[in-house]
Amino acid sequence: MTETYIITPDYNGVNFLEKYFSSLFSQTYQEFKIIFVDNSQTSESFDFINKNYPSRLSNQIIYIKNPENYGFAKATNIGIKKAMDDPECKYVVCLNNDIYAESTFLEELIKCAKKNYKTGSVQSKMIWGQYPELIDSVGIEYSKNGLGFNRGAYEPVEIYNLEEEILGCCAGACLYKRTALEDIEYNKEYFDENFFAYYEDIDIALRLQFAGWKSIYCPTSIVYHYRGGTGGTFSSFNVYYSGRNYTYTFLKNMPGTTFLKNLHLVIFAELAQILINILRKKPVILKAKFDAYRNFFKMMEKRKNIKKINKKIESLFVLKWRPKSSDSIKSL
């Protein structure tokens, strides 16, 4: 029986696995198992694990091979469900495959999670691997115009050193309590599988807040994220899913009063995404928006089933159009 499970979806990420596994097996806290959910169409990641960690396979590494690329949301759900088969599981740690973790990463996350029973998620300090003088993410920000941001992205690594409450976690490196995930589960899903990839962590952050769960930033839990390692930073894939899921998120989650007060900002943000991506020669943004509104009623049905205990969630929203670098905005 194991208390902590690390869930890592993989898609052609074999080049990152040496650093990923070596950092995890050097942790000061070792009472964990890794559920490695492989979306790749090759066997390279499995071959690497089998060659380098044969004694840990089925013991500390649970390998799951998907028949096709299910995307981040569904692959992570598969891992979560497997973890929850163990009644001793208390903590689910989401961790990207292009991560290198400092040795106290897990120990500090769990310490923080234990401080308050209403803490539903805990965010690590994510440093940009390629440029370690800069922050990658210290949580999620959600703007009144519907745009989602990585909090602290591209700011100096020396700052954000205080433990504090945040809106929610970037799922690249964070912990969710089992009880919190079970509380917001809908239709046997934790992350919304309609999102496939991008904004799914903003969606789950909002749902946890609505349900009354707090999210805490833990600055002593540190990882290095090699941004764009397996998904790219600007591609048609990125543009499509970011653009579509931006719309899904505000349709599904934005409080009605917030939406009405800021309708002009939301419309402007929608139009700006289309214009910017057309200028970038990414016409796939048009399909993204078409598909988003084509699923309007599906999002409305999900909206009705969100548990809404926290009536003051709008107080956690910001008004922001871009971070220090436009590359870290999740919808443009």
Side-chain angles (χ1 to χ4, degrees):
M1 298 295 185
T2 304
E3 188 176 73
T4 304
Y5 283 80
I6 298 171
I7 314 297
T8 296
D10 177 74
Y11 182 71
N12 299 330
V14 67
N15 292 337
F16 296 93
L17 298 188
E18 182 177 358
K19 280 190 170 184
Y20 165 87
F21 281 113
S22 66
S23 72
L24 290 181
F25 294 136
S26 300
Q27 291 292 302
T28 54
Y29 174 93
Q30 281 290 312
E31 299 302 314
F32 66 87
K33 289 185 179 180
I34 300 167
I35 301 179
F36 193 87
V37 187
D38 195 352
N39 277 328
S40 311
Q41 299 307 293
T42 70
S43 63
E44 288 182 330
S45 293
F46 175 79
D47 293 342
F48 174 88
I49 297 168
N50 193 41
K51 177 182 177 181
N52 293 279
Y53 304 104
S55 63
R56 295 186 187 267
L57 265 175
S58 300
N59 178 22
Q60 195 171 11
I61 302 172
I62 300 168
Y63 178 85
I64 298 173
K65 178 71 170 179
N66 290 331
E68 59 185 276
N69 182 9
Y70 285 156
F72 179 90
K74 185 172 181 177
T76 302
N77 283 343
I78 289 170
I80 292 171
K81 290 171 186 176
K82 181 67 175 176
M84 289 185 178
D85 285 344
D86 183 349
E88 296 298 313
C89 171
K90 292 183 180 179
Y91 306 113
V92 169
V93 175
C94 289
L95 194 66
N96 280 8
N97 58 358
D98 50 4
I99 287 284
Y100 177 84
E102 289 196 356
S103 61
T104 56
F105 154 69
L106 277 175
E107 183 179 354
E108 294 298 320
L109 267 187
I110 293 166
K111 279 182 185 177
C112 190
K114 289 181 176 180
K115 287 180 181 179
N116 188 327
Y117 80 98
K118 286 306 294 181
T119 297
S121 59
V122 183
Q123 173 70 59
S124 293
K125 186 172 191 176
M126 298 175 69
I127 297 170
W128 198 3
Q130 295 94 324
Y131 300 95
E133 69 276 12
L134 300 176
I135 288 170
D136 178 60
S137 180
V138 288
I140 281 171
E141 292 180 313
Y142 192 61
S143 178
K144 294 174 184 178
N145 54 25
L147 295 172
F149 298 87
N150 278 313
R151 176 174 173 264
Y154 299 96
E155 295 186 50
V157 73
E158 293 82 10
I159 59 177
Y160 293 101
N161 291 318
L162 295 178
E163 185 177 304
E164 57 190 331
E165 186 174 349
I166 57 176
L167 172 70
C169 296
C170 169
C174 71
L175 175 150
Y176 296 99
K177 282 184 180 173
R178 175 185 186 138
T179 48
L181 291 174
E182 289 176 333
D183 192 37
I184 54 93
E185 176 262 336
Y186 171 69
N187 199 25
K188 299 182 180 179
E189 295 179 11
Y190 306 99
F191 286 92
D192 188 333
E193 294 177 11
N194 284 131
F195 281 57
F196 192 82
Y198 301 115
Y199 269 85
E200 73 290 314
D201 50 3
I202 298 177
D203 171 70
I204 200 170
L206 292 171
R207 288 188 284 125
L208 284 166
Q209 282 288 348
F210 271 125
W213 293 96
K214 295 181 182 295
S215 184
I216 303 297
Y217 165 59
C218 180
T220 52
S221 174
I222 298 172
V223 302
Y224 297 84
H225 180 211
Y226 291 84
R227 177 187 289 275
T230 59
T233 55
F234 180 65
S235 62
S236 293
F237 178 92
N238 178 296
V239 169
Y240 174 79
Y241 285 105
S242 294
R244 187 195 67 174
N245 295 348
Y246 155 84
T247 305
Y248 276 174
T249 302
F250 78 72
L251 289 176
K252 181 179 172 184
N253 294 285
M254 188 176 282
T257 53
T258 306
F259 179 75
L260 291 174
K261 284 190 294 185
N262 299 285
L263 179 59
H264 59 298
L265 301 178
V266 174
I267 292 172
F268 183 81
E270 284 276 45
L271 294 175
Q273 289 171 76
I274 294 170
L275 178 60
I276 289 170
N277 283 292
I278 291 296
L279 292 175
R280 288 174 172 173
K281 298 182 179 179
K282 295 290 183 181
V284 70
I285 190 65
L286 297 173
K287 175 174 170 51
K289 296 304 178 185
F290 175 81
D291 287 347
Y293 286 102
R294 184 166 59 88
N295 287 303
F296 175 85
F297 292 106
K298 180 182 287 185
M299 292 300 114
M300 290 299 100
E301 182 62 28
K302 291 188 175 188
R303 182 184 178 95
K304 285 190 288 186
N305 286 279
I306 293 174
K307 182 181 291 187
K308 294 182 179 176
I309 295 172
N310 180 4
K311 304 297 185 182
K312 298 181 179 180
I313 190 171
E314 185 180 353
S315 65
L316 297 172
F317 296 172
V318 298
L319 181 55
K320 190 173 182 177
W321 290 98
R322 57 181 296 165
K324 288 184 179 291
S325 168
S326 62
D327 287 342
S328 69
I329 200 167
K330 293 193 173 185
S331 61
L332 298 178

